[in-house]
């Protein structure tokens, strides 16, 4: 569908790892078969975006590249095979791209090239650039319509606050993957980080009882207060991690048998025994979703007790569709009880990425506004 796109637009371009971004004018992508061109309004920042682009994380992707992850924007132009999206419509643009003829070949836009030859080809040749830009090209199927009247009107969310979706979706993918049910008890660990905190918020909205397990007592107290302010009847407990496997298992067991565990350990927590402590509290047949980095095989705790342990990368399409319905129905808190978002212009990307690494935990988020 024709549109008045500018010939050039501003974008954050990374030429090489560790060199930092440059704000550059680059040619605006044009609509074609299977894609949409989005005018980006809010681009999400990860707690470890800085480490991805300075090379510390060791993630591979082609360069030069426009940085980013998921974003929210308005449809500015559409390929001729679009039948449902509308010009000007507000959409959530998801960063997980699957090959159309092999959904198993997937990668995370401007973050990681994935692990197959197909995913590496697609990020290199077709969907290279991310959404730290005024305009971006995305697959049609990655553009999820947002009910703007309901979300921004009736429920009062701002567009930047809605970017918190990209954090909430990840634990939602993991919790649905291990079939968390309303009324069940789930341990979330570590609960004090970006994804752990988002996991607490999602599990509460799913009707579960949450045991938030983490090292930082002050942040655990803030987390509980944040949850109870937004959802006064939520069932939420906190347990401080001491780092001793059986001491922590005993503290967690005080709340009775646990149905499920979800882990978001970053690389620096890979040697922490907290997942084993949490697994000891599971009832027979309990389920564990491993979404962070933790290499412990946990054989005695897992194998002998029929524990289902699943790895999970991000989420599936139906998870996103169901999540949007939960949000639109008002199952999440509003305003600051949902999220406090710090917004930075593209030019202040360095401050934005620094804030992303520091302003984290439940109900905190950072975005760039191109
Ligand atoms: N599977 C997926 O699809 C997926 C998607 C997104 C992210 N992830 C992964 O999720 C992980 C967490 O990301 P994030 O953005 O939430 O990180 P984050 O905001 O930096 O949070 C890190 C958390 O780990 C805790 N921690 C750090 N070192 C620890 C240690 N030695 N022992 C115990 N706890 C420790 C921190 O606790 P304190 O508050 O005590 O410091 C904090 O709760 C990352 O590894 C990321 O790659 C996976």
């Amino acid at each position: 569908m024709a549109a008045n796109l500018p010939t050039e637009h501003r974008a954050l371009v990374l030429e090489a790892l560790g060199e930092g971004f440059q704000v550059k004018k680059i040619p605006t992508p044009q609509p074609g078969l299977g894609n949409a061109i989005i005018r980006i309004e809010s681009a999400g920042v990860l707690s470890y975006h800085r480490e991805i682009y300075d090379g510390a994380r060791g993630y591979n992707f082609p360069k030069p590249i426009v940085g980013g992850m998921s974003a929210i924007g308005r449809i500015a132009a559409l390929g001729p095979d679009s039948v449902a999206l509308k010009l000007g419509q507000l959409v959530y643009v998801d960063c997980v791209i699957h090959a159309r003829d092999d959904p198993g070949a997937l990668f995370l836009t401007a973050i990681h090239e994935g692990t197959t030859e197909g995913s590496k080809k697609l990020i290199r040749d077709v969907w290279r650039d991310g959404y730290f830009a005024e305009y971006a090209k995305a697959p049609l199927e990655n553009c999820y319509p947002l009910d703007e009247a309901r979300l921004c009107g009736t429920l009062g969310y701002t567009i930047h606050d809605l970017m918190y979706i990209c954090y909430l979706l990840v634990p939602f993918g993991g919790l649905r993957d291990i079939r968390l049910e309303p009324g069940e008890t789930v341990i979330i660990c570590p609960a004090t980080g970006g994804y752990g905190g988002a996991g607490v918020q999602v599990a509460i909205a799913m009707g579960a009882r949450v045991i938030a397990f983490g090292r930082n007592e002050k942040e655990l107290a803030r987390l509980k207060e944040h949850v109870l302010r937004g959802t006064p009847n939520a069932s939420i407990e906190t347990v401080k991690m001491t780092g001793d496997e059986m001491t922590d298992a005993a503290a967690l067991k005080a709340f009775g048998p646990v149905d499920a565990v979800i882990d978001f350990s970053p690389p620096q927590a890979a040697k922490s025994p907290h997942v084993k402590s949490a697994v000891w509290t599971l009832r027979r047949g309990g389920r564990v979703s491993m979404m962070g980095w933790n290499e412990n095989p946990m054989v005695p705790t897992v194998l002998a007790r029929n524990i289902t342990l699943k790895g999970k990368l991000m989420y599936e399409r139906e998870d996103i569709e169901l999540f949007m319905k939960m949000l639109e129905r008002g199952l999440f808190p509003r305003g600051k009880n949902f999220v406090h978002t710090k917004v930075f212009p593209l030019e202040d990307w360095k401050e934005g990425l620094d804030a992303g690494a520091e302003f984290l935990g439940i109900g905190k988020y950072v975005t760039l506004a191109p």
Side-chain angles (χ1 to χ4, degrees):
M1 207 177 292
N4 292 324
L5 294 174
T7 51
E8 291 189 321
H9 69 283
R10 286 157 54 256
L12 291 185
V13 179
L14 184 82
E15 295 286 343
L17 287 179
E19 284 192 1
F21 284 111
Q22 295 169 42
V23 184
K24 281 194 171 176
K25 285 227 163 192
I26 62 171
T28 303
Q30 297 299 309
L33 271 179
N35 75 38
I37 309 301
I38 317 295
R39 174 69 178 90
I40 304 294
E41 301 237 356
S42 188
V45 172
L46 281 167
S47 71
Y48 47 96
H49 246 145
R50 202 171 53 181
E51 294 168 31
I52 292 173
Y53 296 128
D54 69 14
R57 276 252 164 172
Y59 285 10
N60 287 326
F61 46 82
K63 290 154 279 290
I65 198 166
V66 174
M69 57 167 311
S70 301
I72 291 177
R74 291 187 189 281
I75 301 280
L78 286 164
D81 52 337
S82 161
V83 298
L85 295 165
K86 305 269 183 298
L87 289 180
Q89 185 171 25
L90 196 68
V91 289
Y92 173 76
V93 191
D94 192 60
C95 68
V96 185
I97 296 186
H98 296 258
R100 286 170 175 151
D101 52 353
D102 176 10
L106 73 158
F107 63 94
L108 307 186
T109 319
I111 297 173
H112 197 295
E113 64 188 1
T115 54
T116 72
E117 284 313 308
S119 66
K120 291 174 192 171
K121 172 179 174 230
L122 281 186
I123 194 173
R124 187 184 63 232
D125 299 344
V126 188
W127 309 109
R128 173 179 298 217
D129 286 336
Y131 310 140
F132 287 170
E134 290 177 302
Y135 287 88
K137 179 178 79 170
L140 289 174
E141 66 273 22
N142 280 52
C143 300
Y144 292 85
L146 293 171
D147 185 339
E148 192 173 0
R150 171 80 182 151
L151 292 169
C152 301
T154 316
L155 298 177
Y157 294 118
T158 68
I159 288 175
H160 291 298
D161 289 353
L162 285 174
M163 267 318 301
Y164 196 42
I165 289 173
C166 73
Y167 258 36
L168 298 169
L169 271 178
V170 172
F172 190 57
L175 292 170
R176 286 199 79 219
D177 193 45
I178 55 169
R179 309 260 180 272
L180 184 72
E181 301 286 352
E184 285 196 318
T185 299
V186 58
I187 294 176
I188 300 187
C189 54
T192 52
Y195 286 102
V200 170
Q201 206 141 317
V202 167
I204 294 289
M206 292 170 80
R209 176 168 75 141
V210 169
I211 303 175
F213 184 30
R215 297 185 302 184
N216 181 337
E217 253 177 329
K218 201 169 151 206
E219 179 61 12
L220 286 175
R222 188 187 75 81
L223 177 152
K224 187 166 183 173
E225 194 193 307
H226 182 89
V227 168
L228 291 175
R229 220 174 35 235
T231 318
N233 58 353
S235 195
I236 168 100
E237 312 290 351
T238 61
V239 171
K240 181 177 158 46
M241 231 178 242
T242 68
D244 181 84
E245 183 182 331
M246 297 320 286
T247 303
D248 288 351
L252 292 164
K253 274 183 182 166
F255 299 104
V258 168
D259 302 288
V261 172
I262 188 163
D263 177 62
F264 278 105
S265 297
Q268 62 269 34
K271 292 205 167 67
S272 167
H274 65 265
V275 184
K276 286 179 92 178
S277 305
V279 170
W280 280 122
T281 70
L282 283 170
R283 64 171 168 79
R284 187 171 168 80
R287 297 97 70 199
V288 182
S289 177
M290 303 291 290
M291 294 201 79
W293 297 95
N294 195 312
E295 296 133 20
N296 288 335
M298 297 184 291
V299 171
T301 42
V302 172
L303 185 145
R305 297 160 59 235
N306 285 10
I307 302 302
T308 298
L309 190 153
K310 296 189 81 176
K312 181 71 186 167
L313 181 67
M314 305 300 268
Y315 33 73
E316 306 303 317
R317 185 176 183 82
E318 66 173 46
D319 297 327
I320 302 185
E321 288 168 349
L322 183 61
F323 179 88
M324 297 303 186
K325 287 181 191 168
M326 287 175 65
L327 193 64
E328 285 169 12
R329 294 287 67 78
L331 292 180
F332 284 88
R334 324 277 164 78
K336 292 276 184 282
N337 294 338
F338 181 60
V339 71
H340 174 187
T341 309
K342 290 191 177 177
V343 185
F344 295 83
L346 277 190
E347 284 69 16
D348 295 345
W349 61 269
K350 198 167 184 319
E351 289 78 4
L353 266 51
D354 287 347
E358 283 141 28
F359 187 68
L360 39 91
I362 192 166
K364 292 181 178 178
Y365 196 55
V366 174
T367 72
L368 300 184

